């Protein structure tokens, strides 16, 4: 539609190869070749020299508070053998220690749909960790968001295994810029915080393999993490860290994972022998004395208890040797053996801030943008065109909010928003959010000196309405605090009852009231997960900024004023209400995944219903067109999809090409699945030819092994998961068995 007329084809071909291949190739991973091979040879030689005591020292942490540099976990080194000590630190959105750069949350990063950015994040975080003296970063959360009320949703990478898997694989690859251990966690089905230490996730093989494990499989095979952290919860009746089927059969044997499995932090292991035999290789936080309970009354399991189990033969010596070998192999492969971390130094704050800004700019999602009577969209604001703006709520005068728990990053220079509940802190419930000193209001003011900005905190509804009435436009900020250990009661924007520590009023009521009286209303959300929007039809524009990090206020202003074109896409579906979720309520003890594959967008597709905002949705200030794809067969059951993308609007921007497959009915799949994606920057009128190679595994279903179904598969290409707008082409596939088991 007009695209041909306007476009000039640049002739540049972008090749995107999804490197994930079938399980067969993986099962045959040859650890004796390449980098792993060299690392393995050196590790084996070193293992030969170790005493039993030294071996035991390497398979458990030294307890809470043992890291001399403030890490959350610590494995003592062995100077005699030049094995360095390992201090681990959480690093989901940056190193969780004062001085580090708070980046946007991992869910925000997922909203960028930009694997290159994820690589850059991996590199950036690894450099900061290294500068701060750490050897391992624990920032690889990849549990799929089946339940958006999960308190840790902001730490994860969305609801789809291909998006999450590729984003984490990129992040881990990025880590390799410095010697640093990278993790993928929490293996597996740690999908809620309610009863997190014990809850039993009960699931059938097919959704387990096609959704929840598939995300890990992609991250493990493409990203090659050093560590996989096993989860607190049970999977089909076995604690994850005691689950031999998950750890040994699938992760280590089937996927060929050469690294080590680390337990989540206490209460992940109940039974020393079961965990060791199942394949767990390191206990955290561990202790120097298994027979002396820690401050929480808990005893560790992989020190004296493990020594006794080996002595009595209930854990084979070869298993202990394997635990150590796996760690040494990763220490060599990562470069840490040859180049251990130095004493902590200071990070470059301004470089960190620049980077945090870039991530935030790439991840903000424009959800709604009405076109006004003057036929101009509400956003972006034009500098000269705005006489007055009312900025309301969300502490927009002070900064931006972030999520809580191990994935938080402390503000560098202290809190800018006071907690409303005296005495509360991150360990208490209610807990206080961290806020970063990046004021959206200040950033907006700086952009438009001629505009009159009026700020109202939102605490006084009448004052807010009065401000809104007087202004050309009202921008209402709404925030949602989400944290580890606690699931949300609902997806409603929190108020002073549901989050008394961080909210002073009913945010939904404020937005409704402002929208009823303002000339135009823009809502800016800073949230850790999806939220419901009862006021949606009454507001003119909505921006989802997630937890946008240390320069979040700047990034929000950049998008509002059009200095940055919004290019984020939802990494999870936003439901109309909680009733649409797979489970009515989050329950303790036993959670049955009886929705099977009907999770996230797959659920809406199968039930033929519409969510509030679809997975993959995100608007831009420019417009893009896609040509119909051409689909060809390649070798080994792979296919190649080729299409053209054109920027048919007037501004530069970036679009995410999303490739979905609809398998033949005989496959019993949901109506579509994401099989590939790529983000492309395009100048106005620029067109690019894109070619994406899609491995057969992306088209396979689990039938006691991976199988590509026979028949016509339809390939859809577009800028969202709404296939009404997508271009399509069929391809006839032959049945193909991919797995050898
Ligand atoms: C979390 C992990 C985290 C660890 C160390 C646990 O409670 O589940 O994600 O890495 O603590 O802080």
């Amino acid at each position: 539609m007009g695209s041909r007329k306007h476009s000039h084809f640049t002739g540049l071909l972008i090749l995107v190869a999804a490197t994930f291949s079938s399980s067969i190739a993986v099962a045959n991973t040859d650890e004796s070749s390449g980098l792993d091979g060299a690392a393995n040879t050196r590790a084996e030689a070193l293992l030969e020299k170790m005493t039993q005591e030294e071996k035991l020292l390497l398979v458990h942490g030294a307890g809470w508070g043992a890291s001399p540099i403030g890490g959350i976990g610590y494995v003592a080194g062995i100077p005699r053998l030049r094995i360095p000590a390992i201090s681990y630190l959480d690093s989901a959105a940056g190193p969780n220690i004062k001085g580090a750069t708070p980046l946007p949350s991992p869910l925000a990063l997922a909203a960028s749909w930009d694997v290159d950015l994820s690589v850059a994040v991996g590199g950036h975080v690894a450099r900061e960790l290294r500068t701060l003296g750490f050897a391992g970063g624990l920032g690889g959360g990849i549990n799929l968001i089946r339940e958006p009320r999960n308190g840790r949703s902001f730490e994860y990478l969305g609801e789809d295994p291909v998006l999450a898997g590729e984003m984490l694989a990129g992040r881990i690859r990025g880590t390799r810029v410095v010697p640093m251990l990278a993790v993928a966690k929490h293996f597996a089905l740690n999908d809620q915080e309610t009863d997190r230490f014990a809850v039993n996730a009960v699931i059938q093989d097919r959704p387990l393999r096609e959704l929840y494990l598939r995300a890990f499989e992609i991250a493990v095979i493409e990203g090659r993490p050093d560590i996989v952290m096993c989860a607190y919860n049970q999977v089909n009746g076995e604690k994850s860290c005691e689950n031999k089927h998950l750890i040994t059969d699938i992760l280590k044997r089937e996927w060929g994972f050469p690294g080590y499995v680390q337990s989540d932090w206490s209460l992940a292991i109940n039974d020393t022998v079961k965990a060791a035999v199942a394949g767990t290789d390191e206990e955290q936080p561990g202790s120097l004395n298994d027979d002396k309970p820690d401050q929480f009354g808990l005893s560790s399991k992989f020190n004296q208890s493990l020594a006794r189990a080996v002595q009595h033969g209930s854990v084979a010596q070869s298993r202990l040797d394997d635990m150590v070998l796996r760690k040494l192999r990763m220490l060599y492969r990562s470069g840490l053996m040859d180049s251990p971390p130095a004493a902590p130094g200071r990070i470059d704050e301004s470089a960190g801030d620049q980077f945090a800004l870039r991530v935030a700019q790439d991840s903000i999602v424009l959800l709604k943008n009405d076109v006004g009577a003057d036929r101009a969209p509400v956003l972006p604001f034009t500098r000269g065109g705005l006489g007055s703006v009312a900025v309301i709520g969300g502490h927009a005068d002070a900064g931006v909010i972030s999520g809580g728990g191990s994935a938080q990053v402390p503000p560098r220079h202290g809190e800018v928003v006071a907690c409303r509940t005296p005495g509360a802190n991150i360990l208490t419930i209610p807990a206080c959010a961290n806020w970063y000193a990046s004021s959206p209001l200040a950033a907006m003011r700086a952009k438009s000196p001629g505009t009159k900005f009026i700020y109202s905190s939102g605490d006084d509804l009448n004052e807010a309405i009065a401000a809104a009435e007087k202004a050309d436009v009202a921008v209402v900020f709404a925030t949602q605090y989400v944290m580890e250990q606690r699931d949300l009661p609902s997806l409603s924007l929190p108020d002073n009852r549901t989050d008394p520590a961080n909210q002073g009023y009913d945010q939904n009521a404020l937005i409704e009231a402002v929208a009823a009286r303002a000339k135009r209303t823009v809502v800016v959300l800073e949230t850790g997960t999806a939220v419901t929007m009862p006021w949606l039809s009454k507001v003119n524009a909505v921006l989802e900024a997630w937890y946008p990090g240390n320069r979040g206020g700047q990034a929000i202003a950049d998008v509002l004023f059009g200095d940055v074109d919004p290019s984020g896409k939802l990494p999870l579906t936003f439901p109309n209400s909680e009733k649409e979720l797979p489970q009515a309520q989050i329950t303790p003890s036993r959670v049955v995944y009886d929705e099977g594959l009907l999770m996230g967008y797959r659920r809406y597709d199968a039930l033929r219903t519409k969510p509030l905002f679809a997975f993959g949705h995100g608007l831009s200030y420019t417009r893009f067109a896609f040509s119909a794809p051409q689909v060809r067969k390649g070798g080994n059951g792979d296919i190649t999809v080729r299409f053209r993308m054109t920027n048919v609007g007037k501004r530069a921007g970036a679009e995410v090409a999303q490739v979905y497959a609809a398998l033949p009915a005989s496959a019993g799949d949901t109506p579509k699945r994401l099989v590939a994606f790529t983000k492309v920057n395009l100048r106005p009128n620029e067109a690019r030819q894109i070619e994406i190679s899609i491995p057969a595994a992306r088209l396979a279903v689990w039938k006691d092994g991976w199988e590509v179904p026979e028949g016509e598969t339809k390939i859809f290409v577009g800028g969202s998961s709404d296939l009404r707008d997508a271009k399509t082409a069929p391809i006839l596939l032959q049945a193909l068995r991919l797995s050898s088991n």
Side-chain angles (χ1 to χ4, degrees):
M1 295 193 308
S3 64
R4 214 170 268 154
K5 208 166 109 213
H6 294 295
S7 71
H8 64 271
F9 173 45
T10 61
L12 196 64
L13 186 70
I14 301 195
L15 287 174
V16 188
T19 50
F20 180 54
S21 50
S22 73
S23 308
I24 310 172
V26 178
N28 293 340
T29 296
D30 184 2
E31 283 170 13
S32 64
S33 64
L35 192 54
D36 287 6
N40 198 50
T41 309
R42 294 177 76 187
E44 278 176 345
L46 190 57
L47 181 68
E48 291 284 305
K49 300 191 184 128
M50 292 176 74
T51 65
Q52 188 76 338
E53 288 67 38
E54 287 169 339
K55 290 176 185 173
L56 283 161
L57 208 59
L58 285 199
V59 299
H60 60 83
W64 296 106
S67 162
I69 55 171
I72 190 72
Y74 183 71
V75 177
I78 303 174
R80 178 183 88 83
L81 300 171
R82 305 184 63 174
I83 299 175
I86 304 170
S87 274
Y88 298 107
L89 189 67
D90 284 297
S91 57
N96 181 357
I97 196 165
K98 210 168 169 95
T101 305
L103 299 178
S105 63
L107 189 61
L109 177 62
S112 75
W113 291 57
D114 186 343
V115 175
D116 291 341
L117 185 72
S118 201
V119 172
V121 165
H124 173 86
V125 175
R127 278 199 198 89
E128 288 203 353
L129 283 164
R130 173 102 178 153
T131 303
L132 295 163
F134 293 93
L138 306 177
I142 189 175
N143 298 94
L144 294 189
I145 307 181
R146 163 187 189 256
E147 172 49 81
R149 289 167 291 189
N150 176 1
R152 301 187 82 171
S153 300
F154 73 101
E155 292 186 46
Y156 299 138
L157 299 166
E159 70 186 27
D160 180 82
V162 169
L163 174 65
E166 286 211 8
M167 291 300 283
L168 184 57
R171 178 166 175 168
I172 296 167
R173 286 198 302 273
T175 303
R176 303 294 167 221
V177 293
V178 289
M180 180 62 56
L181 300 168
V183 76
K185 70 185 187 183
H186 312 85
F187 192 65
L189 302 187
N190 187 179
D191 302 331
Q192 66 179 53
E193 290 300 279
T194 303
D195 196 20
R196 69 170 173 160
F197 297 117
V199 65
N200 181 18
V202 178
I203 189 168
Q204 301 283 319
D205 263 2
R206 184 164 180 184
L208 177 66
R209 291 291 195 146
E210 290 186 20
L211 301 176
Y212 304 94
L213 291 190
R214 173 57 44 122
F216 279 96
E217 189 176 4
I218 294 172
V220 165
I221 293 167
E222 285 188 25
R224 300 169 26 99
D226 307 280
I227 305 169
V228 170
M229 186 191 292
C230 51
Y232 288 131
N233 55 283
Q234 305 174 59
V235 173
N236 290 336
E238 297 272 20
K239 290 283 282 180
S240 297
C241 296
E242 298 174 0
N243 199 316
K244 192 163 189 232
H245 181 55
L246 277 183
I247 298 176
T248 297
D249 299 347
I250 297 179
L251 172 67
K252 291 185 177 174
R253 296 222 174 101
E254 208 180 293
W255 301 349
F257 173 62
Y260 59 100
V261 173
Q262 169 186 66
S263 79
D264 203 342
W265 259 242
S266 79
L267 285 169
I269 298 177
N270 285 344
D271 184 305
T272 304
V273 174
K274 273 188 91 172
V277 170
T280 294
D281 302 300
E282 178 191 283
E283 186 201 19
Q284 284 296 345
S287 95
L288 297 179
N289 186 354
D290 283 0
D291 302 318
K292 184 169 171 276
D294 65 14
Q295 68 257 48
F296 306 108
L298 303 170
S299 302
S300 54
K301 306 282 192 298
F302 267 29
N303 196 351
Q304 290 82 4
S305 317
L306 182 59
R308 288 191 288 264
V310 174
Q311 213 167 26
H312 300 148
S314 41
V315 173
Q317 178 66 40
S318 57
R319 179 74 265 277
L320 174 61
D321 288 352
D322 179 51
M323 294 177 186
V324 178
L325 182 66
R326 284 172 173 276
K327 174 161 293 145
L328 294 177
R329 193 190 280 148
M330 294 302 107
L331 287 174
Y332 278 117
R333 192 183 76 172
S334 62
L336 279 162
M337 277 302 276
D338 300 319
S339 176
R346 279 180 69 83
I347 64 130
D348 180 340
E349 293 191 2
S350 117
D353 280 354
Q354 271 310 107
F355 184 71
L357 178 61
R358 178 177 147 204
V359 180
Q361 289 171 336
D362 202 5
S363 63
I364 291 175
V365 184
L366 179 60
L367 292 172
K368 174 175 178 171
N369 194 13
D370 277 354
V371 176
D374 55 355
R375 304 194 52 199
V378 174
L379 293 175
F381 296 145
T382 42
R383 276 189 172 75
L386 273 185
S388 59
V389 180
V391 175
I392 300 168
H395 299 284
D397 59 330
V400 291
I401 197 170
S402 71
S406 57
Q408 70 181 353
V409 182
R412 285 211 198 104
H413 305 291
E415 287 298 348
V416 292
V417 173
C419 188
R420 303 179 63 89
T421 311
N425 59 52
I426 178 62
L427 295 174
T428 61
I429 291 176
C432 303
N434 281 325
W435 297 77
Y436 304 130
S438 178
S439 156
L441 173 63
M444 288 164 78
R445 272 204 174 113
K447 281 186 189 290
S448 195
T451 303
K452 185 174 175 210
F453 287 91
I454 317 155
Y455 179 70
S456 172
S457 71
D459 286 314
D460 179 338
L461 194 59
N462 292 328
E463 180 199 279
I465 293 169
E469 275 175 341
K470 277 191 236 124
D472 295 335
V473 58
V475 185
V476 189
F477 285 78
T479 61
Q480 174 204 47
Y481 180 59
V482 178
M483 62 176 278
E484 183 178 341
Q485 294 181 69
R486 191 181 62 136
D487 291 323
L488 289 170
S490 79
L491 295 178
S492 195
L493 278 170
D495 57 26
N496 45 340
R497 269 180 319 106
T498 53
D499 187 8
N502 304 298
Q503 300 295 340
Y505 52 86
D506 181 337
Q507 300 187 91
N508 280 330
L510 175 74
I511 298 171
E512 291 271 0
V514 168
R517 308 286 272 278
K519 290 191 192 74
R520 288 175 296 165
T521 306
V522 175
V523 175
V524 178
L525 298 167
E526 295 167 22
T527 73
T529 184
V531 286
T532 49
M533 304 181 202
W535 32 259
L536 182 63
S537 62
K538 295 167 198 150
V539 306
N540 306 97
V542 183
L543 263 196
E544 174 57 88
W546 314 106
Y547 295 145
N550 219 35
R551 295 293 306 283
Q554 182 65 48
I556 290 167
D558 289 345
V559 171
L560 288 174
F561 279 84
D563 295 323
V564 167
D565 186 66
S567 64
K569 303 277 180 177
L570 289 183
L572 78 171
T573 310
F574 275 37
N576 295 292
S577 93
E578 296 81 0
K579 289 200 195 81
E580 297 169 354
L581 299 175
Q583 53 189 7
Q585 267 163 2
I586 305 183
T587 52
S589 67
R590 190 177 142 90
V591 175
V592 184
Y593 288 46
D594 52 12
E595 75 279 4
L597 297 170
L598 304 196
M599 184 269 272
Y601 63 88
R602 290 168 163 87
R603 184 172 186 81
Y604 291 86
D605 289 346
L607 303 177
R608 294 174 192 279
T609 52
K610 288 254 162 260
L612 187 63
F613 289 109
F615 173 79
H617 169 75
L619 305 171
S620 160
Y621 296 148
T622 184
R623 286 183 306 119
F624 301 94
F626 289 82
S627 71
Q630 290 168 330
V631 191
R632 274 188 291 116
K633 283 190 201 169
N636 305 322
D638 298 354
I639 61 168
T640 301
V641 179
R642 213 182 152 128
F643 54 91
R644 198 177 65 238
M645 284 170 81
T646 311
N647 181 345
V648 293
K650 295 200 174 62
R651 311 167 61 102
E655 174 66 319
V656 179
Q658 304 174 32
V659 184
Y660 294 90
L663 302 184
S666 61
D669 196 20
T670 50
K672 69 167 181 278
R673 53 162 68 179
L674 182 73
V675 290
F677 63 93
T678 184
K679 189 163 187 170
V680 182
N681 284 299
L682 291 169
R683 295 186 305 272
N685 294 334
E686 190 183 5
R688 290 220 203 150
Q689 196 73 22
I690 312 290
E691 188 170 296
I692 305 187
S693 159
I694 298 170
R698 295 269 165 96
L699 304 165
V701 296
W702 181 259
K703 291 189 172 173
D704 283 334
W706 291 108
E707 204 170 286
V708 175
E710 181 166 289
E712 187 181 279
T713 282
K714 281 206 187 72
I715 299 296
F716 295 85
V717 177
S720 99
S721 72
D722 190 338
L723 300 190
R724 283 175 312 183
D725 304 331
K727 297 283 168 36
T728 180
I731 179 140
L732 202 59
L733 297 176
Q734 275 128 25
L736 185 64
R737 189 85 180 165
L738 297 177
S739 173
S740 48
N741 52 1

